[in-house]
Amino acid sequence: MSTRQIDNFAAERIRSYDAKSAFIGYRGYPCQTCLSVNDEVVHGLATERELKFGDILSIDVGVVHKGFIGDTARTISVGGCSLAAQRLLDVTEQSLYLGIAQARPGNRVVDISIAVQQYVEANHFGVVREFVGHGVGRSMHEEPQVPNFDEGKKSSPKLKPGMTIAIEPMVNAGRPEVKILKDGWTVVTQDGSLSAHFEHTVLVTDGEPEILTWVKPSGSKPE
Ligand code: MF3
Ligand code: CO
Ligand code: CO
């Protein structure tokens, strides 16, 4: 199917929850979701492009419900992919969970950044610098920024119970550099290598971080 068909499906599904896409209209963004294929990193637009066996597809969904936003992404293969591509997906997903594990009081945002970057680079992949995670709540992008690499700054915000942040490593199989296509949105790897993206909206609590965007992989609707 085309990414346009997937975006249409998402639109219906979002409506069925009495929610709204947080993306459409955001700074003029024209689609319900972001659908990024292969060397596309993030902010891929829904098009007539048909997916083929072995492609990897990053699906980023943000919805507003009762005034609050949830933002989540994952990269999947279309019917399976090469072992090299699957390793990229696995490393990126694991880096997200290592980042989430740092989202606890007493830590700082940079502890999340370091956990993600170290794991990604130990696996010889490139972590994207130009786009970062973020606070999320009544607006999609709130303070603090949550980079996936150590910016080397002297200070970093303390994590406190009640904070809600989107942690979202974007990982390239090759070099970390990206560029934006002429459509003004689609971010692609400069070297043409594959890229993956996993994201969760996470609540910092007194104890374990709570993943607010966790759903069963089937996506079955909760009661
Ligand atoms: N969901 C993206 C993020 O994770 C932002 C999408 S911006 C849009 O931060 F304009 F493309 F919708
Ligand atoms: Co997102
Ligand atoms: Co986000």
Side-chain angles (χ1 to χ4, degrees), residues 148-198:
N148 299 299
F149 64 102
D150 184 359
E151 296 178 297
K153 289 194 177 154
K154 282 218 179 74
S155 71
S156 169
K158 274 188 182 162
L159 294 164
K160 296 194 174 137
M163 288 175 73
T164 308
I165 54 176
I167 305 175
E168 51 177 313
M170 289 145 270
V171 176
N172 299 346
R175 299 281 314 157
E177 292 80 14
V178 299
K179 62 180 182 185
I180 299 178
L181 296 186
K182 290 206 182 77
D183 64 22
W185 283 104
T186 313
V187 178
V188 299
T189 59
Q190 274 188 25
D191 64 6
S193 65
L194 296 176
S195 188
H197 181 208
F198 283 80

Side-chain angles (χ1 to χ4, degrees), residues 6 23 33-38 40-43 51 55-62 71-78 85-86 88-90 92-94 96-97 100 167-171 195-201 211-220:
I6 295 172
F23 298 176
T33 62
C34 296
L35 299 163
S36 309
V37 184
N38 294 340
E40 298 174 355
V41 179
V42 286
H43 305 164
L51 296 167
D55 283 344
I56 60 170
L57 172 67
S58 300
I59 303 176
D60 192 341
V61 179
D71 187 9
T72 185
R74 68 182 54 180
T75 306
I76 56 163
S77 67
V78 180
Q86 187 61 51
L88 175 68
L89 306 194
D90 293 345
T92 307
E93 183 169 24
Q94 182 64 17
L96 168 60
Y97 286 101
I100 291 172
I167 305 175
E168 51 177 313
M170 289 145 270
V171 176
S195 188
H197 181 208
F198 283 80
E199 173 177 32
H200 272 308
T201 297
I211 301 175
L212 302 180
T213 44
W214 195 88
V215 287
K216 286 185 190 145
S218 69
S220 59

Side-chain angles (χ1 to χ4, degrees), residues 108-115 147 149-153 156-157 159:
R108 294 177 185 271
V109 168
V110 70
D111 294 304
I112 298 171
S113 309
I114 290 171
F149 64 102
D150 184 359
E151 296 178 297
K153 289 194 177 154
S156 169
L159 294 164

Side-chain angles (χ1 to χ4, degrees), residues 103-134:
R104 38 176 70 254
N107 278 357
R108 294 177 185 271
V109 168
V110 70
D111 294 304
I112 298 171
S113 309
I114 290 171
V116 170
Q117 181 177 22
Q118 280 185 350
Y119 185 72
V120 168
E121 292 181 352
N123 283 282
H124 308 288
F125 292 140
V127 64
V128 172
R129 309 296 203 260
E130 286 89 339
F131 298 88
V132 296
H134 49 93

